[in-house]
mmCIF file of all heavy atoms in Angstrom:
data_model
loop_
_atom_site.group_PDB
_atom_site.id
_atom_site.type_symbol
_atom_site.label_atom_id
_atom_site.label_comp_id
_atom_site.label_asym_id
_atom_site.label_seq_id
_atom_site.Cartn_x
_atom_site.Cartn_y
_atom_site.Cartn_z
ATOM 1 N N SER W 135 -17.200 -16.575 6.411
ATOM 2 C CA SER W 135 -17.264 -17.668 7.327
ATOM 3 C C SER W 135 -18.543 -17.584 8.236
ATOM 4 O O SER W 135 -19.083 -18.611 8.690
ATOM 5 C CB SER W 135 -16.010 -17.703 8.296
ATOM 6 O OG SER W 135 -16.113 -18.600 9.241
ATOM 7 N N MET W 136 -19.102 -16.366 8.517
ATOM 8 C CA MET W 136 -20.077 -16.332 9.485
ATOM 9 C C MET W 136 -20.943 -15.055 9.208
ATOM 10 O O MET W 136 -20.462 -14.029 8.691
ATOM 11 C CB MET W 136 -19.623 -16.309 10.851
ATOM 12 C CG MET W 136 -18.710 -15.210 11.232
ATOM 13 S SD MET W 136 -18.232 -15.066 12.879
ATOM 14 C CE MET W 136 -19.638 -14.481 13.676
ATOM 15 N N MET W 137 -22.174 -15.065 9.843
ATOM 16 C CA MET W 137 -22.876 -13.826 10.043
ATOM 17 C C MET W 137 -23.409 -13.932 11.404
ATOM 18 O O MET W 137 -23.956 -14.911 11.993
ATOM 19 C CB MET W 137 -24.191 -13.809 9.086
ATOM 20 C CG MET W 137 -23.844 -13.628 7.611
ATOM 21 S SD MET W 137 -25.378 -13.437 6.612
ATOM 22 C CE MET W 137 -26.059 -11.935 7.205
ATOM 23 N N GLY W 138 -23.136 -12.830 12.192
ATOM 24 C CA GLY W 138 -23.517 -12.879 13.591
ATOM 25 C C GLY W 138 -23.923 -11.494 14.135
ATOM 26 O O GLY W 138 -23.661 -10.454 13.591
ATOM 27 N N VAL W 139 -24.672 -11.640 15.228
ATOM 28 C CA VAL W 139 -25.182 -10.473 16.013
ATOM 29 C C VAL W 139 -24.830 -10.700 17.480
ATOM 30 O O VAL W 139 -25.171 -11.851 17.953
ATOM 31 C CB VAL W 139 -26.656 -10.198 15.814
ATOM 32 C CG1 VAL W 139 -27.050 -8.984 16.608
ATOM 33 C CG2 VAL W 139 -27.040 -10.057 14.393
ATOM 34 N N HIS W 140 -24.346 -9.677 18.226
ATOM 35 C CA HIS W 140 -24.018 -9.903 19.620
ATOM 36 C C HIS W 140 -24.197 -8.597 20.286
ATOM 37 O O HIS W 140 -24.329 -7.507 19.728
ATOM 38 C CB HIS W 140 -22.695 -10.492 19.816
ATOM 39 C CG HIS W 140 -22.592 -11.632 20.788
ATOM 40 N ND1 HIS W 140 -22.978 -11.407 22.115
ATOM 41 C CD2 HIS W 140 -22.327 -12.923 20.748
ATOM 42 C CE1 HIS W 140 -22.921 -12.597 22.778
ATOM 43 N NE2 HIS W 140 -22.477 -13.512 21.922
ATOM 44 N N THR W 141 -23.973 -8.572 21.659
ATOM 45 C CA THR W 141 -24.036 -7.342 22.449
ATOM 46 C C THR W 141 -22.714 -6.722 22.807
ATOM 47 O O THR W 141 -21.774 -7.582 22.891
ATOM 48 C CB THR W 141 -24.848 -7.668 23.715
ATOM 49 O OG1 THR W 141 -24.091 -8.583 24.534
ATOM 50 C CG2 THR W 141 -26.268 -8.210 23.465
ATOM 51 N N VAL W 142 -22.634 -5.513 22.893
ATOM 52 C CA VAL W 142 -21.309 -4.779 23.119
ATOM 53 C C VAL W 142 -20.849 -5.136 24.579
ATOM 54 O O VAL W 142 -19.639 -5.325 24.696
ATOM 55 C CB VAL W 142 -21.541 -3.254 23.079
ATOM 56 C CG1 VAL W 142 -20.290 -2.598 23.439
ATOM 57 C CG2 VAL W 142 -21.996 -2.880 21.609
ATOM 58 N N ASP W 143 -21.768 -5.447 25.563
ATOM 59 C CA ASP W 143 -21.308 -5.612 26.894
ATOM 60 C C ASP W 143 -20.539 -6.870 26.991
ATOM 61 O O ASP W 143 -19.719 -7.080 27.971
ATOM 62 C CB ASP W 143 -22.551 -5.669 27.810
ATOM 63 C CG ASP W 143 -23.281 -4.369 28.067
ATOM 64 O OD1 ASP W 143 -22.409 -3.360 27.760
ATOM 65 O OD2 ASP W 143 -24.363 -4.318 28.353
ATOM 66 N N LEU W 144 -20.742 -7.887 26.098
ATOM 67 C CA LEU W 144 -19.949 -9.133 26.169
ATOM 68 C C LEU W 144 -18.708 -9.187 25.285
ATOM 69 O O LEU W 144 -18.038 -10.143 25.216
ATOM 70 C CB LEU W 144 -20.936 -10.313 25.879
ATOM 71 C CG LEU W 144 -22.106 -10.480 26.821
ATOM 72 C CD1 LEU W 144 -22.989 -11.612 26.259
ATOM 73 C CD2 LEU W 144 -21.598 -10.801 28.205
ATOM 74 N N PHE W 145 -18.515 -8.052 24.685
ATOM 75 C CA PHE W 145 -17.401 -7.972 23.673
ATOM 76 C C PHE W 145 -16.072 -7.804 24.267
ATOM 77 O O PHE W 145 -15.918 -7.030 25.199
ATOM 78 C CB PHE W 145 -17.686 -6.900 22.687
ATOM 79 C CG PHE W 145 -16.586 -6.663 21.551
ATOM 80 C CD1 PHE W 145 -16.427 -7.591 20.577
ATOM 81 C CD2 PHE W 145 -15.728 -5.642 21.790
ATOM 82 C CE1 PHE W 145 -15.414 -7.433 19.701
ATOM 83 C CE2 PHE W 145 -14.799 -5.340 20.738
ATOM 84 C CZ PHE W 145 -14.615 -6.323 19.734
ATOM 85 N N HIS W 146 -14.992 -8.480 23.753
ATOM 86 C CA HIS W 146 -13.684 -8.338 24.166
ATOM 87 C C HIS W 146 -12.820 -8.374 22.919
ATOM 88 O O HIS W 146 -12.418 -9.464 22.451
ATOM 89 C CB HIS W 146 -13.167 -9.310 25.208
ATOM 90 C CG HIS W 146 -13.953 -9.311 26.512
ATOM 91 N ND1 HIS W 146 -13.724 -8.382 27.479
ATOM 92 C CD2 HIS W 146 -14.996 -10.058 26.906
ATOM 93 C CE1 HIS W 146 -14.436 -8.584 28.506
ATOM 94 N NE2 HIS W 146 -15.284 -9.498 28.280
ATOM 95 N N GLY W 147 -12.553 -7.159 22.357
ATOM 96 C CA GLY W 147 -11.802 -7.223 21.200
ATOM 97 C C GLY W 147 -10.266 -7.243 21.325
ATOM 98 O O GLY W 147 -9.767 -6.813 22.295
ATOM 99 N N GLN W 148 -9.477 -7.820 20.381
ATOM 100 C CA GLN W 148 -8.102 -7.980 20.421
ATOM 101 C C GLN W 148 -7.393 -7.637 19.162
ATOM 102 O O GLN W 148 -8.014 -7.795 17.982
ATOM 103 C CB GLN W 148 -7.688 -9.434 20.791
ATOM 104 C CG GLN W 148 -7.871 -9.745 22.248
ATOM 105 C CD GLN W 148 -7.127 -11.043 22.603
ATOM 106 O OE1 GLN W 148 -6.720 -11.811 21.719
ATOM 107 N NE2 GLN W 148 -7.116 -11.459 23.854
ATOM 108 N N SER W 149 -6.201 -7.148 19.347
ATOM 109 C CA SER W 149 -5.349 -6.930 18.096
ATOM 110 C C SER W 149 -4.833 -8.390 17.637
ATOM 111 O O SER W 149 -4.962 -9.292 18.428
ATOM 112 C CB SER W 149 -4.231 -5.976 18.361
ATOM 113 O OG SER W 149 -3.438 -6.532 19.508
ATOM 114 N N PHE W 150 -4.274 -8.444 16.549
ATOM 115 C CA PHE W 150 -3.677 -9.729 16.008
ATOM 116 C C PHE W 150 -2.553 -10.229 16.911
ATOM 117 O O PHE W 150 -1.567 -9.448 17.091
ATOM 118 C CB PHE W 150 -3.318 -9.520 14.570
ATOM 119 C CG PHE W 150 -2.797 -10.805 13.930
ATOM 120 C CD1 PHE W 150 -3.499 -12.027 14.143
ATOM 121 C CD2 PHE W 150 -1.757 -10.797 13.211
ATOM 122 C CE1 PHE W 150 -3.082 -13.157 13.513
ATOM 123 C CE2 PHE W 150 -1.241 -11.959 12.545
ATOM 124 C CZ PHE W 150 -1.934 -13.142 12.646
ATOM 125 N N ALA W 151 -2.645 -11.330 17.513
ATOM 126 C CA ALA W 151 -1.703 -11.824 18.533
ATOM 127 C C ALA W 151 -0.283 -11.973 17.984
ATOM 128 O O ALA W 151 0.642 -11.875 18.702
ATOM 129 C CB ALA W 151 -2.269 -13.049 19.145
ATOM 130 N N GLY W 152 -0.202 -12.335 16.688
ATOM 131 C CA GLY W 152 1.145 -12.634 16.158
ATOM 132 C C GLY W 152 1.707 -11.501 15.422
ATOM 133 O O GLY W 152 2.623 -11.727 14.588
ATOM 134 N N PHE W 153 1.251 -10.330 15.831
ATOM 135 C CA PHE W 153 1.767 -9.064 14.985
ATOM 136 C C PHE W 153 2.060 -8.031 15.923
ATOM 137 O O PHE W 153 1.460 -7.689 16.921
ATOM 138 C CB PHE W 153 0.546 -8.711 14.059
ATOM 139 C CG PHE W 153 0.701 -7.491 13.374
ATOM 140 C CD1 PHE W 153 1.579 -7.527 12.154
ATOM 141 C CD2 PHE W 153 0.081 -6.377 13.683
ATOM 142 C CE1 PHE W 153 1.790 -6.309 11.464
ATOM 143 C CE2 PHE W 153 0.378 -5.126 13.006
ATOM 144 C CZ PHE W 153 1.127 -5.166 11.886
ATOM 145 N N SER W 154 3.197 -7.270 15.588
ATOM 146 C CA SER W 154 3.627 -6.119 16.393
ATOM 147 C C SER W 154 3.160 -4.873 15.632
ATOM 148 O O SER W 154 3.764 -4.537 14.538
ATOM 149 C CB SER W 154 5.155 -6.160 16.468
ATOM 150 O OG SER W 154 5.592 -4.974 17.324
ATOM 151 N N PRO W 155 2.244 -4.152 16.071
ATOM 152 C CA PRO W 155 1.726 -2.873 15.431
ATOM 153 C C PRO W 155 2.769 -1.857 15.349
ATOM 154 O O PRO W 155 3.644 -1.758 16.169
ATOM 155 C CB PRO W 155 0.537 -2.410 16.369
ATOM 156 C CG PRO W 155 0.141 -3.536 17.095
ATOM 157 C CD PRO W 155 1.381 -4.359 17.358
ATOM 158 N N ALA W 156 2.721 -1.087 14.301
ATOM 159 C CA ALA W 156 3.594 0.101 14.131
ATOM 160 C C ALA W 156 2.873 1.412 13.916
ATOM 161 O O ALA W 156 1.637 1.274 13.400
ATOM 162 C CB ALA W 156 4.557 -0.193 12.879
ATOM 163 N N GLU W 157 3.381 2.406 14.331
ATOM 164 C CA GLU W 157 2.711 3.716 14.210
ATOM 165 C C GLU W 157 2.618 4.223 12.782
ATOM 166 O O GLU W 157 3.434 3.930 11.986
ATOM 167 C CB GLU W 157 3.308 4.804 15.033
ATOM 168 C CG GLU W 157 3.210 4.609 16.581
ATOM 169 C CD GLU W 157 3.659 5.828 17.324
ATOM 170 O OE1 GLU W 157 4.213 6.777 16.778
ATOM 171 O OE2 GLU W 157 3.441 5.874 18.521
ATOM 172 N N VAL W 158 1.493 4.848 12.451
ATOM 173 C CA VAL W 158 1.337 5.402 11.061
ATOM 174 C C VAL W 158 1.000 6.954 11.235
ATOM 175 O O VAL W 158 0.057 7.265 11.939
ATOM 176 C CB VAL W 158 0.164 4.716 10.312
ATOM 177 C CG1 VAL W 158 0.022 5.272 8.950
ATOM 178 C CG2 VAL W 158 0.374 3.247 10.373
#
Side-chain angles (χ1 to χ4, degrees):
S135 173
M136 63 170 287
M137 291 182 65
V139 179
H140 225 300
T141 62
V142 177
D143 290 339
L144 297 177
F145 176 73
H146 297 279
Q148 283 192 351
S149 58
F150 184 44
F153 176 76
S154 179
E157 289 190 354
V158 181

